[in-house]
Amino acid sequence: MHLTSTARRTAQAAGNSTALENLTRAGFIGYGLLHLAVGWLAVQIANGQSARGDQSGAFRLLAAQPFGRALVWAIAGGLLAMAIWQLFEAAVGHLGERGGRRTLERIVSAGRTAAYLALSATAAQVAGGGDPATGSHQREATSGLLGRDGGPWLVGTAGIAVTVVGLVLVGYGITKGFVRHLRRDRMSAAESRAAVLAGQLGYAAKGAVYAVAGVLVTSAAITFDPAKSTGLDGALHTLARQPLGYGLLLAAAAGFAVFGVYCYFQARYRKV
């Protein structure tokens, strides 16, 4: 028991370090730039240009700018710091919550840890001149799974999970679930209004696009067609092919851009 308490206190102290907090706040800036880049790629897709509308495409867009590779390396480091922060939160954090609420928050932090680690790895791969997994890689992986016993169920379950996550993000934005993580007492009235609006629109738009991606993966399982499993890039291109595709894509682009702005508020006022 003594060793467990000591380990918990050590983990809490590490998670509350000033250095980790500063790196995490810098990571939110990079996270915002990533979403701004995805928004710009969505605009390009809406205008009929050839663009990879996913995170690797966004990192490539940033890397192509002056000093871009150094910027993407910095973003990779910031995302890694965010992953470490969320790992501590999953292990010993969310002390302000009680019971089932704290358990849920810790599970969400574990999911964020995995997401930030994956993004950090993708950023590092792009910064190093590599070629991260693309929609074609996802199609190949899906095709391999669909050909195995129980594979369609696994793919379908993954698709449903992504759809649910997307819908949860939509609800999280609409209900302002993110507000409880902001230090609004340190904001001006105008900043508070802007942060809440940006969070609502950003989470809702981002969640809607991810829900579309999840539906496509689920459809791939039902129809045994791996070509439908293409992730975020496929979701954006699917929106482009709809009757109101141009408007839908511009709305998605605006949503990702607004979420990028919200990340600025997180960098300054997120409880870390």
Side-chain angles (χ1 to χ4, degrees):
M1 180 67 71
H2 176 69
L3 289 175
T4 302
S5 330
T6 301
R8 185 181 296 111
R9 287 195 298 272
T10 302
Q12 287 170 350
N16 292 328
S17 73
T18 303
L20 181 60
E21 178 181 346
N22 291 336
L23 287 172
T24 297
R25 294 194 184 283
F28 274 118
I29 296 295
Y31 197 46
L33 289 174
L34 169 64
H35 284 81
L36 289 172
V38 171
W40 176 243
L41 291 173
V43 171
Q44 290 183 310
I45 293 171
N47 288 314
Q49 300 179 41
S50 177
R52 185 190 297 176
D54 57 11
Q55 291 88 348
S56 63
F59 285 132
R60 286 185 178 280
L61 176 64
L62 294 172
Q65 308 311 308
F67 306 104
R69 287 206 172 184
L71 172 63
V72 176
W73 274 120
I75 292 174
L79 288 167
L80 179 59
M82 291 171 71
I84 294 171
W85 161 55
Q86 283 299 299
L87 179 61
F88 283 124
E89 289 287 274
V92 294
H94 302 289
L95 297 177
E97 310 292 349
R98 292 291 180 268
R101 181 74 193 188
R102 185 183 179 216
T103 299
L104 177 61
E105 290 285 358
R106 291 173 72 183
I107 291 172
V108 171
S109 286
R112 286 174 178 157
T113 299
Y116 293 149
L117 277 176
L119 286 174
S120 178
T122 299
Q125 205 169 352
V126 169
D131 185 21
T134 63
S136 62
H137 290 87
Q138 183 169 331
R139 286 192 296 270
E140 291 170 7
T142 302
S143 179
L145 276 176
L146 290 176
R148 298 181 180 180
D149 291 339
W153 288 101
L154 289 174
V155 174
T157 300
I160 292 171
V162 173
T163 303
V164 169
V165 168
L167 293 176
V168 167
L169 286 176
V170 172
Y172 191 64
I174 292 174
T175 62
K176 306 178 186 177
F178 56 89
V179 169
R180 64 208 310 271
H181 297 299
L182 297 175
R183 297 188 182 278
R184 295 175 69 193
D185 56 310
R186 299 184 181 181
M187 300 181 186
S188 66
E191 284 179 319
S192 180
R193 288 192 297 270
V196 172
L197 182 60
Q200 282 188 289
L201 296 177
Y203 274 115
K206 179 179 175 179
V209 174
Y210 277 109
V212 171
V215 168
L216 291 175
V217 175
T218 305
S219 178
I222 294 172
T223 61
F224 291 87
D225 184 3
K228 295 180 179 180
S229 177
T230 52
L232 177 59
D233 178 60
L236 293 176
H237 281 90
T238 296
L239 288 176
R241 293 192 293 269
Q242 305 312 305
L244 299 175
Y246 185 78
L248 290 172
L249 267 182
L250 289 185
F256 275 98
V258 169
F259 187 85
V261 173
Y262 173 67
C263 288
Y264 159 78
F265 289 107
Q266 291 198 93
R268 290 194 66 185
Y269 301 114
R270 182 68 158 80
K271 295 175 183 177
V272 177

